[in-house]
Structure formats: C-alpha cells, structure tokens
Amino acid sequence: MNRFNPVLIVAAISMMTLVGCNQAEEPTAQTPPAGSSISDTTATPAATTTPSAAATPAATTEFQGLQGVVTNTKTAVEAGDFTKAKGEFDKFEDLWSKVEDGVKAKSPTTYKQIEDKADEIEAGLKASAPNKSNLSTALGVLNKDVTSVAKP
C-alpha cells in the first residue's frame, strides 16, 4: 500500500496537468502597425469559386509567355527557319499546361481550338517539308485564341 500512494499521487497530478493543457485559449486582439489602417492588414476573401486562369497575375504572365512563344514561332516560320520555329514552339506546352485548366473551365470551345491548333502546328513543324503558309495561318489563329482567353 505504501508503494501505491505515490503512484496514485503522480497519476492524479498528471491528469490535472493534462486537463489544464486542454483549456481553449482566448483569442487576443491584434493592433495594426502604426501608420496603417485595419483594412491594410486584413485578408480579402476569394471572390469566385470557379477557377479562372486569366484572373491571377501569374496566369497573366503565362498568357504573355504563350503569346510571345506564338509570335516568335511565327516570325521564325515566316523567315523560313523551321528549326528555330520548332525550338520556340517546344516552349508552348510547358506554359500552356499551367493555364489550360482555367481556360477549359472558362471556355471549353476555345480550349479545344487551342489544343487542336497546337497539335496541328507541332505536326506541321515536324514534317519533312513544313508548309510555311499553313503554319503561319495556324499560328495566327492560335494567337487570336490565346489572346481571347487571356482577357479577364
């Protein structure tokens, strides 16, 4: 019995400590730094629940990159430098993969048109004798489609 009492005391103290640690903390009010308003320090909730690739600054950068790739590819095609054009257009898929889900949600029809044109251009650039006129036209249409979905 003498050995049981210290164990009982330690167990009781441990239980009280655990119960005390489980107490909910009271939220503390935070004051904004001097020279700023409360609206400067509060987070703004998201306005939409649907993904919109064109609404974010990162997506805007990606669309500008896509437009640059298409423009550079078209310039190389019109100059007859199909090796350079293929190298430029290889960058398209990397940039496109970052925004395509948002485009698909925003405009499934335009998404399909962009996918189809990109495949057509890629195949045209891989051909043994690329058709300059067809590629130039397809790149123009692709640029128009990318530009249309880049707008918020």
Side-chain angles (χ1 to χ4, degrees):
M1 188 71 168
N2 283 342
R3 292 179 71 198
F4 182 70
N5 283 340
V7 170
L8 187 60
I9 293 171
V10 169
I13 292 172
S14 297
M15 290 293 284
M16 290 189 319
T17 304
L18 289 174
V19 170
C21 289
N22 200 21
Q23 295 285 335
E25 290 185 27
E26 293 292 321
T28 58
Q30 295 181 351
T31 56
S36 67
S37 69
I38 192 81
S39 63
D40 291 342
T41 59
T42 57
T44 305
T48 62
T49 57
T50 57
S52 174
T56 64
T60 302
T61 302
E62 300 303 332
F63 281 115
Q64 289 171 347
L66 284 169
Q67 291 167 328
V69 166
V70 173
T71 300
N72 292 344
T73 304
K74 188 172 183 180
T75 302
V77 164
E78 289 173 353
D81 190 349
F82 297 109
T83 304
K84 182 178 179 181
K86 185 181 178 327
E88 272 300 317
F89 200 71
D90 286 343
K91 300 173 190 174
F92 184 87
E93 186 58 40
D94 183 47
L95 293 167
W96 175 241
S97 67
K98 295 175 184 175
V99 296
E100 68 180 314
D101 290 337
V103 172
K104 191 173 189 178
K106 181 180 177 182
S107 177
T109 303
T110 306
Y111 167 82
K112 175 96 171 85
Q113 291 170 341
I114 291 172
E115 285 282 323
D116 292 346
K117 280 298 170 203
D119 291 344
E120 178 185 332
I121 293 164
E122 191 170 335
L125 290 170
K126 287 181 180 178
S128 58
N131 185 317
K132 185 176 178 177
S133 176
N134 289 350
L135 283 169
S136 185
T137 302
L139 285 160
V141 171
L142 181 62
N143 193 39
K144 179 185 72 72
D145 288 341
V146 169
T147 301
S148 74
V149 292
K151 297 175 185 172

